[in-house]
Amino acid sequence: GQNIDQPTEMTATEGAIVQINCTYQTSGFNGLFWYQQHAGEAPTFLSYNVLDGLEEKGRFSSFLSRSKGYSYLLLKELQMKDSASYLCAVRDGARAGGSYIPTFGRGTSLIVHP
Amino acid sequence: NAGVTQTPKFQVLKTGQSMTLQCAQDMNHEYMSWYRQDPGMGLRLIHYSVGAGITDQGEVPNGYNVSRSTTEDFPLRLLSAAPSQTSVYFCASSQRTGKNSPLHFGNGTRLTVT
């Protein structure tokens, strides 16, 4: 099986930094994605990691440690519009179809306060 | 570029009725998939396809059928609707080439079964 764990909810203040963690268990890791989903909308792609280390994209960064089965999404200079759900998704080559289609965690609801 | 188009956006069914959720993409993506999203459960994979004529089951396939007669279209059929199928349904597509190819989601179909 494949377990992907994320905190259910986090709160932060506008202008601050927040780190959203994701832990996973796979037999054939083949990439990890982060998506953002605003209420009532479809998920949109934020970042991708397949090798260990940090990927930076403007205010958003994503980190991966394959040996620890761990990733985090770092959001800097938080804005009110960053209030959304953040979904961690993992591709597992050992699972039927898993090389192509990722499995999602339950998502972390981030609330940004003024 | 339309991307992934899902219809209808909203639907109310009575228990036992059947219907088809439509999904079409114009990006020539090989991979297509259907997810359902329920509160606190994240996105769960129903069925997926890695190319025209090829489909396979995901995590929660019972009560649903799919077909992939063309690259562009991937309809999801509910055979006999049940209240447990009340959910938001997302269709997604992605490229075959490129390990970092993310999912592109449709805008979702909000289905209520009474």
Side-chain angles (χ1 to χ4, degrees), chain A:
Chain A
Q2 183 174 18
N3 295 320
I4 303 173
D5 292 316
Q6 307 178 232
T8 302
E9 186 175 294
M10 300 182 71
T11 59
T13 304
E14 192 175 17
I17 299 172
V18 70
Q19 177 175 310
I20 302 174
N21 296 326
C22 172
T23 59
Y24 63 88
Q25 295 176 323
T26 65
S27 301
F29 178 79
N30 192 25
L32 185 144
F33 297 84
W34 284 96
Y35 289 83
Q36 180 189 60
Q37 185 178 25
H38 285 101
E41 298 183 5
T44 56
F45 170 70
L46 285 179
S47 69
Y48 171 78
N49 295 74
V50 69
L51 298 177
D52 292 350
L54 189 67
E55 295 283 340
E56 297 188 80
K57 272 188 175 184
R59 293 190 300 115
F60 293 5
S61 303
S62 57
F63 171 82
L64 175 68
S65 169
R66 288 172 295 170
S67 62
K68 295 182 179 178
Y70 168 69
S71 174
Y72 67 73
L73 180 69
L74 192 71
L75 291 74
K76 303 175 184 176
E77 301 170 10
L78 280 173
Q79 302 175 9
M80 298 296 290
K81 68 178 182 179
D82 296 330
S83 292
S85 284
Y86 291 86
L87 313 178
C88 175
V90 177
R91 283 197 305 215
D92 182 356
R95 185 178 60 83
S99 291
Y100 320 109
I101 309 294
T103 298
F104 284 80
R106 298 189 177 191
T108 299
S109 176
L110 175 65
I111 301 169
V112 180
H113 294 291

Side-chain angles (χ1 to χ4, degrees), chain B residues 79-94:
Chain B
L79 309 174
S80 177
S84 61
Q85 292 179 306
T86 293
S87 187
V88 179
Y89 292 84
F90 287 101
C91 178
S93 71
S94 59

Side-chain angles (χ1 to χ4, degrees), chain B residues 3 14 17 22 24-25 29 31-34 41-44 50-51 64 66 71 78 84 88 97 101 103 107:
Chain B
K14 294 185 177 179
Q17 287 184 315
Q22 301 292 343
Q25 52 93 7
H29 286 171
Y31 302 154
M32 296 188 75
S33 50
W34 277 101
M41 296 297 295
L43 286 160
R44 291 184 292 170
V50 299
Y64 308 94
V66 292
T71 298
L78 280 71
S84 61
V88 179
T97 55
S101 56
L103 293 175
N107 287 331

